[in-house]
Amino acid sequence: MKKIWDAQNGQAMYAIDETALHNRVINKKQKARRTADLTEKVFIVANILSSAMIIVPTVVKNKVSISGLLMALLMLITAGVIINKRNRRLKSQDNFDKSMLGDLDNAIATADYQVKFSKTSRFYLLSIVILSMTSLLEAGSAWWVLVLVAIFFAITYMAAKWEHRTFYASQKTDLRSMREKLVRMENEGPESSIDDML
């Protein structure tokens, strides 16, 4: 009787732990999706508004700046590329198994997308810096304006690098580590590994 009770008790505990673990995986998946969603929306809106802020004064004042128009065009193209990548990411979210490991793979794929997006956005920022400085030189801006703009972009770049390391890369590392533990748990013994992951 005691053996039956212990066996049933162990199964019940495992079921509760597995459910809690799956809920944790789902929360991480949703967090990764929310982060990617917010980043995409901010970049799309920022690029469209910024390009409009360049194009409208150019049309109103009828004062053409080649580097300014190139920057506006780059921003519009970038917004279009992000919209396209976003649509592909949203479609790919349904291609994963409806299981704990599938949800975790989904979260890892989204985190990987976010890491690549973050890296690409830093290179994009450098192109914006070059075009902005060229535009200011064309307009004959004072040296101190150039220095202030350069400092602003340097701070922005460092902040983007810090954000990449602190949030996106670390989130991807945590998710991969969690997946390794989950696979190890399935291959060895569930109970101790589940306790470690909770």
Side-chain angles (χ1 to χ4, degrees):
M1 200 59 185
K2 185 177 184 303
K3 285 182 180 177
I4 295 169
W5 172 260
D6 288 344
Q8 287 177 341
N9 193 29
Q11 286 172 0
M13 284 298 291
Y14 173 68
I16 291 166
D17 287 345
E18 189 174 18
T19 302
L21 179 58
H22 198 170
N23 287 338
R24 186 168 174 223
V25 168
I26 289 168
N27 287 338
K28 284 185 174 287
K29 179 182 76 171
Q30 297 298 346
K31 182 184 175 187
R33 284 184 178 185
R34 281 194 303 271
T35 302
D37 190 59
L38 179 64
T39 306
E40 289 163 340
K41 286 176 179 174
V42 166
F43 262 79
I44 291 165
V45 171
N47 276 286
I48 291 171
L49 286 177
S50 298
S51 64
M53 288 170 67
I54 295 168
I55 292 168
V56 170
T58 300
V59 171
V60 170
K61 294 178 182 178
N62 199 22
K63 190 176 180 182
V64 177
S65 164
I66 301 298
S67 54
L69 289 176
L70 282 173
M71 188 161 44
L73 182 63
L74 176 64
M75 288 173 172
L76 288 174
I77 290 169
T78 301
V81 168
I82 295 170
I83 290 168
N84 183 45
K85 283 185 176 290
R86 173 182 165 77
N87 289 337
R88 286 202 321 230
R89 179 184 67 79
L90 292 173
K91 283 177 186 173
S92 71
Q93 287 182 345
D94 297 326
N95 297 338
F96 294 89
D97 293 337
K98 302 296 180 189
S99 64
M100 194 187 319
L101 199 57
D103 285 332
L104 194 51
D105 285 338
N106 192 336
I108 290 168
T110 305
D112 187 51
Y113 168 87
Q114 185 65 49
V115 165
K116 287 175 184 171
F117 189 101
S118 176
K119 281 181 183 175
T120 307
S121 67
R122 291 206 312 258
F123 287 111
Y124 169 71
L125 178 64
L126 289 174
S127 64
I128 294 297
V129 170
I130 292 165
L131 288 168
S132 296
M133 298 300 270
T134 306
S135 182
L136 288 170
L137 286 169
E138 280 180 12
S141 300
W143 67 268
W144 58 269
V145 174
L146 294 169
V147 171
L148 284 176
V149 170
I151 291 169
F152 169 76
F153 279 125
I155 292 168
T156 303
Y157 182 83
M158 287 186 288
K161 198 171 180 181
W162 173 83
E163 181 185 40
H164 172 83
R165 234 182 10 252
T166 307
F167 296 107
Y168 310 134
S170 65
Q171 181 185 42
K172 181 182 170 182
T173 303
D174 289 345
L175 288 168
R176 286 196 177 280
S177 173
M178 191 176 187
R179 190 186 193 285
E180 286 171 14
K181 287 178 185 175
L182 185 59
V183 170
R184 200 180 320 125
M185 176 190 77
E186 288 180 351
N187 292 336
E188 294 173 2
E191 286 155 13
S192 59
S193 299
I194 284 179
D195 291 339
D196 290 343
M197 293 173 74
L198 288 172

